Amino acid sequence: MRGAAVFPGHRKLGIVHDVPEPIIDSHTGVKLRVLQVGICATDREIAGFHFGTPPEGSPYLVMGHEGFGEVVETGPEVIDLKPGDLVVPTVRRPCADPACAACQNDRADFCQTGTYTEHGIMGMHGFLTEFTTGEARYMRRVPPAIRDVAVLVEPLTIAEKAFIQAEQIQLRLPWKRPSGEVHAVVTGAGPVGLLGAMALRERGCQVTVYSREPETDLRANVTRAIGANYVSGQNMTPEQLAAGIGSIDLVYEATGSSMLAFEMLNALGRNGVMILTGVPGAHGPEPVDTGALITNMTLKNQCLLATVNAGSDAFDRAIADLSAFCAKWPDAVRGLITGRFTLEQFETPIQNASGIKSIIEVAA
Ligand code: BGC
């Protein structure tokens, strides 16, 4: 079968025509026909040879971790999935260390050893191919009503995992604020940012999306369509933004710009939580007044949370939320998918990032 792959040893990308078709190798296994796969910044990093590890013994890694497919076959002990069901597979699989409490509890997203594997990223082929297999417990069922946007589930899980944790953190406050009074700022109007903004609006928060694009941009239109406010970084500094809002209770950072993250941390309000989801990579020293930063954080009881990957609880919340978003803002949700490509064209959206979210249509 065909697969869109990176050959890190040869520093090249290409379609492999003879990827072995996977077979179900356990009684609880499931085989999927891949329907659609989203492309994200992680794929661009892998295609730039910054990371991405092929499975042992393979010269190439089939890319793609934002998967969506249809069940075509199930092992004899699979009870809750059947051929024809639509599913989104989770990305990460547990490490082999019996002492890793996270992986032993099926929470590889919190793996303690760092020796987990990830489809399309680390040690396991991804979903940019015709078929994939996996254990049924790693497949989350999707209602047919959201078939056309289900490929957005995985990027939404990043926000869902973040907000599950933020809600737990804020249980430290011995009173409950009505969510309508919670002011959240989302930095970055890419898919992770806009899906996060939707999840916050769905919870009833007041949301401002702060991003570099002008206020006439497509991303600003999506933001306004979900009842959130859009502020362009071209018109306002984070400090001015905070002064206009009053007190920022939550920042969801989805730009991956470390300097902007520090500026937003300075703008965060009392008892606030700031969530980091970006992976900026090392790029040399930058001037930050660390004393002022830590003084501010301490005196304001702030919490800085960084988060990666997601467990099945976040996948289930993402699927439920995406259904709710589609009922409320169908055009805004569908408008997030701005580019559609065939498997053979996979390099185009990887090499030239444009629009909001590009997807690969592997099968109809
Ligand atoms: C994926 C995560 C993954 C991470 C780092 C992201 O793009 O959404 O699931 O853990 O990359 O490898």
Side-chain angles (χ1 to χ4, degrees):
M1 62 178 186
R2 293 167 304 146
V6 58
F7 292 75
H10 296 96
R11 295 179 77 83
K12 65 168 195 172
L13 301 178
I15 296 287
V16 176
H17 290 273
D18 56 358
V19 179
E21 193 171 314
I23 48 164
I24 295 181
D25 59 4
S26 87
H27 287 185
T28 46
V30 172
K31 182 171 178 180
L32 304 185
R33 180 198 319 284
V34 179
L35 298 175
Q36 294 175 334
V37 180
I39 298 296
C40 78
T42 299
D43 300 307
R44 297 194 178 97
E45 292 274 297
I46 294 171
F49 318 108
H50 302 299
F51 64 96
T53 312
E56 226 170 280
S58 169
Y60 63 85
L61 169 73
V62 172
M63 295 177 62
H65 59 279
E66 297 185 1
F68 166 54
E70 179 184 1
V71 175
V72 288
E73 198 187 323
T74 58
E77 283 172 26
V78 174
I79 39 178
D80 44 6
L81 287 174
K82 55 178 189 326
D85 282 349
L86 300 174
V87 298
V88 170
T90 65
V91 178
R92 194 178 279 191
R93 298 293 171 265
C95 74
D97 189 338
C100 179
C103 289
Q104 291 298 311
N105 284 288
D106 236 334
R107 288 306 302 258
D109 59 312
F110 284 118
C111 177
Q112 312 249 50
T113 67
T115 56
Y116 54 81
T117 55
E118 285 182 326
H119 278 290
I121 302 173
M122 185 117 67
M124 278 191 302
H125 283 319
F127 307 129
L128 273 172
T129 183
E130 293 169 77
F131 296 97
T132 187
T133 52
E135 287 296 302
R137 68 179 190 284
Y138 299 132
M139 311 282 174
R140 313 312 296 176
R141 197 192 354 242
V142 167
I146 60 164
R147 182 186 180 110
D148 56 342
V149 290
V151 68
L152 299 174
V153 166
E154 199 280 342
L156 175 56
T157 62
I158 305 302
E160 299 290 0
K161 177 177 174 182
F163 300 150
I164 290 170
Q165 294 173 85
E167 281 158 21
Q168 290 167 348
I169 291 165
Q170 291 309 59
L171 290 176
R172 67 190 175 142
L173 305 178
W175 65 88
K176 178 106 182 94
R177 282 263 298 290
S179 58
E181 288 175 14
V182 172
H183 288 268
V185 170
V186 172
T187 51
V192 171
L194 290 174
L195 287 163
M198 289 180 182
L200 290 164
R201 284 295 301 139
E202 176 62 21
R203 283 160 183 71
C205 302
Q206 298 186 40
V207 179
T208 302
V209 175
Y210 180 79
S211 196
R212 63 180 167 207
E213 296 80 14
E215 278 158 25
T216 48
D217 190 87
L218 180 61
R219 295 160 185 79
N221 296 341
V222 171
T223 303
R224 289 186 285 262
I226 62 166
N229 187 22
Y230 185 88
V231 173
S232 169
Q234 298 174 10
N235 301 338
M236 233 185 244
T237 63
E239 210 176 324
Q240 291 167 331
L241 177 77
I245 291 177
S247 183
I248 301 175
D249 302 300
L250 179 98
V251 175
Y252 180 64
E253 208 302 301
T255 63
S257 157
S258 47
M259 207 55 205
L260 177 63
F262 278 112
E263 286 171 25
M264 286 308 308
L265 191 52
N266 268 322
L268 184 65
R270 290 183 188 277
N271 306 327
V273 177
M274 166 131 185
I275 301 165
L276 302 177
T277 67
V279 187
H283 46 55
E286 278 172 320
V288 172
D289 185 339
T290 50
L293 189 87
I294 290 178
T295 301
N296 199 36
M297 284 189 73
T298 305
L299 296 183
K300 291 184 176 167
N301 288 301
Q302 293 170 339
C303 180
L304 180 59
L305 168 75
T307 182
V308 68
N309 197 254
S312 47
D313 57 340
F315 274 79
D316 290 341
R317 271 177 74 156
I319 292 164
D321 265 356
L322 199 58
S323 303
F325 303 169
C326 285
K328 277 192 187 155
W329 318 297
D331 296 340
V333 180
R334 294 194 173 95
L336 294 177
I337 301 177
T338 47
R340 293 172 189 274
F341 299 86
T342 64
L343 188 64
E344 278 69 19
Q345 295 168 325
F346 83 102
E347 287 187 55
T348 308
I350 288 179
Q351 309 292 15
N352 320 299
S354 70
I356 304 177
K357 170 62 87 183
S358 291
I359 66 165
I360 308 294
E361 315 234 36
V362 180

